Amino acid sequence: MLIIGPPGSGKGTQAERISERLGVVAISTGDIFRANVKGGTPLGVEARKYMDNGDFVPDSVTNEMVRNRLSQDDARNGFLLDGYPRTIAQVDYLDGILAAADQELGVVLQLTADDEELVSRLLGRARETGRSDDNESVIRHRLDLYHQQTEAVVARYARRGILAQVDGLGGIDEVTDRVLGSISEQAGVYRPPAGL
Ligand code: ADP
């Protein structure tokens, strides 16, 4: 499955929780890039040129990285991708990877929230963690890219009938409950224990 949402929508937090509950590995392209930046690898040096400005890392670089990651053993029986695909070219590339592996997407989950709420959340996170791409002009640029490019990705999955939209506003647990409920409706992959 995929989790898609604008910057600040809490997709990383929810991805970790879904991963625990469903027992599938969560793979975040943003986390992989940040780990490479920190480790000073060639991939990190390349990615950093884009990330600090809030731009997308080029598809050629990102696609290759995702293909490598998905070929690892822990992704063989399913995975939750967080932060990929963000462009239509990435959707096409992922379709190719999945077809070659005889895998199919179950659910695409979109977390929604309005821009002003997102900006204020991200400015709050910037004060706490100091992520280098969390300042107001870069945040607004990341949001613009989401609207310009990633909403088309969401629309594509909606047409395929596998999109589940969840309101990302509210407490973390509340959103997790909504997410798990919505996944269960969409794909039947999660059945809450009786009484929940
Ligand atoms: P956010 O969604 O808040 O922007 P992420 O941690 O998901 O944060 O991503 C951080 C940065 O990593 C992005 O701004 C972009 O530069 C890069 N990145 C992550 N995923 C992708 C992707 N699928 N395609 C291109 N760039 C990506």
Side-chain angles (χ1 to χ4, degrees):
M1 73 174 268
L2 311 177
I3 183 163
I4 303 183
S9 58
K11 54 186 189 313
T13 306
Q14 297 302 332
E16 271 173 36
R17 289 171 158 230
I18 302 166
S19 154
E20 275 168 28
R21 293 290 279 271
L22 302 185
V24 291
V25 63
I27 297 171
S28 154
T29 46
D31 284 352
I32 299 176
F33 283 135
R34 277 185 291 278
N36 278 278
V37 168
K38 208 168 158 200
T41 67
L43 176 64
V45 170
E46 178 67 14
R48 183 170 203 162
K49 296 186 210 158
Y50 304 93
M51 293 173 76
D52 282 350
N53 300 321
D55 287 320
F56 289 162
V57 177
D59 285 340
S60 55
V61 175
T62 307
N63 285 340
E64 179 70 11
M65 177 184 88
V66 169
R67 195 170 58 82
N68 287 332
R69 181 62 189 86
L70 292 183
S71 71
Q72 290 172 23
D73 278 352
D74 61 351
R76 190 170 297 157
N77 294 317
F79 51 80
L80 167 56
L81 260 180
D82 157 11
Y84 181 95
R86 283 181 209 221
T87 65
I88 289 292
Q90 292 180 8
V91 173
D92 292 338
Y93 192 84
L94 179 62
D95 284 344
I97 297 177
L98 294 174
D102 209 14
Q103 288 178 317
E104 214 175 289
L105 285 176
V107 186
V108 175
L109 183 84
Q110 183 193 25
L111 277 184
T112 61
D114 79 59
D115 282 8
E116 291 319 306
E117 164 72 17
L118 295 167
V119 172
S120 88
R121 282 190 192 179
L122 289 167
L123 289 174
R125 179 168 84 186
R127 282 188 290 273
E128 283 162 27
T129 68
R131 227 174 85 166
S132 60
D133 57 353
D134 280 348
N135 67 69
E136 185 155 359
S137 68
V138 172
I139 288 169
R140 291 204 182 271
H141 179 57
R142 281 154 59 212
L143 278 170
D144 285 346
L145 281 182
Y146 181 80
H147 294 307
Q148 286 162 18
Q149 306 218 30
T150 310
E151 279 174 356
V153 168
V154 173
R156 174 77 72 94
Y157 291 123
R159 281 199 294 278
R160 290 187 195 173
I162 54 172
L163 182 70
Q165 284 177 310
V166 170
D167 182 358
L169 275 194
I172 293 178
D173 289 338
E174 198 184 332
V175 176
T176 304
D177 288 345
R178 271 181 225 145
V179 163
L180 292 172
S182 150
I183 295 173
S184 133
E185 267 176 41
Q186 178 61 249
V189 292
Y190 172 74
R191 297 258 177 269
L196 277 188

